[in-house]
Amino acid sequence: FWLKLDRPKTVEEAKRCRAGAMAYSITSGRRAGRASPLVVLLAAAMAAVLTAPWLFVTPTAEGREEATVGAWSRRNLLLSGVAAGTAVASGAGPASAASFPGLGEQKGPFEVDPKEAVVVGDAGDKASVDAKKTVQSLQDEAEAALASLQKDPQADLVPMIKPLGISDLRRATNTINNLMDDSSAAGTQRLQRLMIQTKYQMEEDLPMPISKKGVVQPRGEKRLARIEEALKNYVIYSKQLLEFIP
């Protein structure tokens, strides 16, 4: 409606203006009175829902015990997996898949049974024969070094370290990899990586320790144990690799 801003000219007009103002005030008060209880009811409903006891149920003793047992089981499984990975990474033993109770030892994704290997190349050509001879020669050298250490823990094994020893091993094992199909090559490549890694670790510890003054020191027990473990693992991997070649 249009609000009149002009002042009332007569007494009758002034009375009508006061009456209209009073009616508007009464109507507004009634509306506010009707709205207030609705707001109060909504607030009470929200408070009842948020403070409902079933939303915050305290776990029973059995539930807490089951949750604790489950947490410990998951923690033990995680720790056992980390320990197994650490043992393999540190060269503490031959790399193999983990064994589970009731299932026995499981094969890893790159472990291949040599009896199931498929040879697609010519294993009788000169390159293949020379590669096999190289791998066998390096294996014999590792076995001889292991026997020498068993007789004399302070035996000099530096002659085993050759400038191109690891390079010759990589070249020979690459030739063997190329003889296999894709699935079989995954198994020979795994053994190739393990042999190269083990040989590198072995050659790091083969030289006798030298003091800061340049004096040669005797080989310690820990150093000797690392060398023997590396030699044993290398021989194991090498024998497994040679089983792939007919």
Side-chain angles (χ1 to χ4, degrees):
F1 67 94
W2 294 96
L3 180 63
K4 294 183 178 181
L5 299 178
D6 297 337
R7 295 179 61 182
K9 298 179 179 179
T10 63
V11 175
E12 294 296 332
E13 290 182 358
K15 291 181 179 180
R16 286 198 297 271
C17 289
R18 285 197 297 270
M22 292 177 63
Y24 178 78
S25 176
I26 293 172
T27 304
S28 300
R30 290 177 179 177
R31 291 177 182 175
R34 288 197 299 268
S36 298
L38 181 60
V39 173
V40 173
L41 289 176
L42 289 176
M46 292 180 63
V49 171
L50 293 177
T51 58
W54 58 81
L55 296 179
F56 305 96
V57 178
T58 303
T60 61
E62 295 180 357
R64 289 196 297 268
E65 183 177 356
E66 292 178 358
T68 304
V69 172
W72 275 105
S73 301
R74 292 190 294 272
R75 182 179 300 177
N76 292 336
L77 180 60
L78 178 61
L79 292 178
S80 62
V82 172
T86 304
V88 171
S90 61
S96 58
S99 58
F100 295 92
L103 298 178
E105 186 174 353
Q106 303 296 309
K107 289 185 178 180
F110 301 108
E111 292 187 66
V112 179
D113 188 349
K115 297 179 181 179
E116 301 176 357
V118 178
V119 180
V120 295
D122 186 3
D125 66 352
K126 185 178 183 304
S128 302
V129 173
D130 291 343
K132 184 176 181 179
K133 288 182 179 179
T134 299
V135 174
Q136 184 65 55
S137 175
L138 294 173
Q139 175 183 317
D140 295 340
E141 189 177 40
E143 290 175 335
L146 186 59
S148 299
L149 286 178
Q150 292 175 351
K151 294 179 181 179
D152 181 13
Q154 303 300 327
D156 184 14
L157 302 178
V158 174
M160 281 187 60
I161 304 177
K162 299 178 177 61
L164 300 177
I166 295 181
S167 178
D168 294 339
L169 174 61
R170 181 179 286 106
R171 187 181 301 107
T173 50
N174 279 338
T175 302
I176 296 176
N177 294 336
N178 294 333
L179 294 176
M180 309 294 159
D181 68 344
D182 292 341
S183 59
S184 302
T188 57
Q189 289 170 359
R190 167 182 171 270
L191 294 171
Q192 177 192 38
R193 292 190 296 269
L194 292 172
M195 291 172 67
I196 292 175
Q197 178 183 358
T198 306
K199 187 174 179 60
Y200 179 81
Q201 294 173 348
M202 175 179 58
E203 292 185 353
E204 284 289 310
D205 288 326
L206 282 180
M208 301 296 288
I210 301 177
S211 66
K212 295 181 179 179
K213 296 182 179 181
V215 180
V216 178
Q217 302 294 317
R219 185 179 288 124
E221 294 182 359
K222 293 184 178 180
R223 193 184 192 93
L224 176 62
R226 291 197 303 267
I227 296 174
E228 289 179 342
E229 192 70 26
L231 287 170
K232 291 177 182 178
N233 291 339
Y234 181 86
V235 172
I236 292 174
Y237 301 144
S238 179
K239 288 181 177 180
Q240 292 177 0
L241 180 64
L242 291 176
E243 292 179 2
F244 282 82
I245 307 175

